[in-house]
Amino acid sequence: IKGLSSAEIGTIVDHKIDINDIVSEIIELARLGFLKIKKTEKKKILGIKETDYELIKIDKIITDLNNFQKNLLDSLFGDLYVIKISDLKNKFYKKLPKLRSDIYSELVKKGISDGNWEKIQGKWVGIVFILNFLAIFLIISLFLKTTGNAGPVVVAIVGFIPSIILAIKIPRRTAWGYSLYRQITGLKYYLGKGKWREEIMEKNLFLEEMLPIAISLGVVNQLANDMKDLGM
């Protein structure tokens, strides 16, 4: 979808940024020529092979990238030019809050989200927690002690869960954002069915562009199978 990165597309669908979105953006940066991905194998005891991947940074002007993509490159490499995926374990998670903030800010800037989803969700979850605890406290103090009836307390505790779920769902898309959501949902269905194989003539280019999006939408296995069918 024109003007959106794969991570933004994945976030529009489910309101959250997960590991699939991050991985898809790494693949997208490779597709755009900002890094290379090299598979490495090392033999261990009993001839068992250990597979790893090297990310190799390529010097290229980054002015056309959005803030999320720029910070992702910086988070991956820092001052280095070659890193291993295995070296990022137990380190990279520290960079995620900033990357999430970048994505949410981009969606606000593009008029897709009605405010920063992360902040809105955090605010309402906090409000719901406070109101629920206050309600339970008042019921116990004013009702349970005088009547001995624990029913209202049970109802208040049970109601805690759906109220938290509603608070999580409060962040919303704008009208434009919802239109994009419907388009992305259609694209996800389309990729999952593989119908495009016979309808798209420039298959190599199309597959290359769709791979990061397929990863962010969770249909990469289907796309990989389609690529195999095409002999790629």
Side-chain angles (χ1 to χ4, degrees), residues 51-194:
T51 301
D52 201 350
Y53 293 88
E54 285 184 349
L55 302 183
I56 305 164
K57 187 178 180 181
I58 298 173
D59 278 325
K60 190 174 179 179
I61 297 173
I62 61 173
T63 51
D64 290 337
L65 298 180
N66 61 38
N67 287 334
F68 169 76
Q69 292 168 323
K70 292 174 183 176
N71 285 327
L72 178 57
L73 276 173
D74 184 61
S75 299
L76 289 170
F77 293 100
D79 296 327
L80 302 175
Y81 274 84
V82 180
I83 59 164
K84 290 183 178 180
I85 291 293
S86 57
D87 293 336
L88 297 176
K89 291 180 180 178
N90 303 319
K91 297 178 183 178
F92 187 72
Y93 75 94
K94 298 176 183 178
K95 310 288 186 179
L96 291 179
K98 179 66 173 76
L99 294 172
R100 287 194 181 100
S101 179
D102 288 337
I103 284 285
Y104 290 125
S105 296
E106 283 292 327
L107 296 182
V108 173
K109 188 190 302 182
K110 292 177 179 178
I112 294 168
S113 64
D114 188 17
N116 186 305
W117 285 338
E118 187 175 42
K119 292 179 180 178
I120 293 171
Q121 191 177 81
K123 181 184 76 173
W124 281 102
V125 168
I127 290 173
V128 166
F129 262 102
I130 293 170
L131 291 178
N132 273 283
F133 278 117
L134 181 60
I136 293 170
F137 173 77
L138 290 174
I139 290 171
I140 293 173
S141 301
L142 304 177
F143 193 82
L144 183 61
K145 288 183 177 179
T146 58
T147 67
N149 185 356
V153 178
V154 174
V155 171
I157 293 173
V158 172
F160 192 91
I161 296 173
S163 63
I164 290 294
I165 293 173
L166 287 173
I168 292 172
K169 297 291 185 181
I170 278 180
R172 65 190 183 95
R173 307 172 188 89
T174 61
W176 168 236
Y178 184 73
S179 173
L180 289 173
Y181 165 75
R182 296 299 300 166
Q183 293 178 54
I184 293 167
T185 303
L187 177 61
K188 181 177 180 179
Y189 175 83
Y190 199 57
L191 284 174
K193 291 297 181 182

Side-chain angles (χ1 to χ4, degrees), residues 3 9 18 24 33 37 39 60 74 98 120 130 141 144 186 201 221 229:
I9 287 172
D18 52 33
S24 74
I37 303 173
K39 182 179 179 181
K60 190 174 179 179
D74 184 61
K98 179 66 173 76
I120 293 171
I130 293 170
S141 301
L144 183 61
M201 298 302 295
N221 290 338
D229 291 344

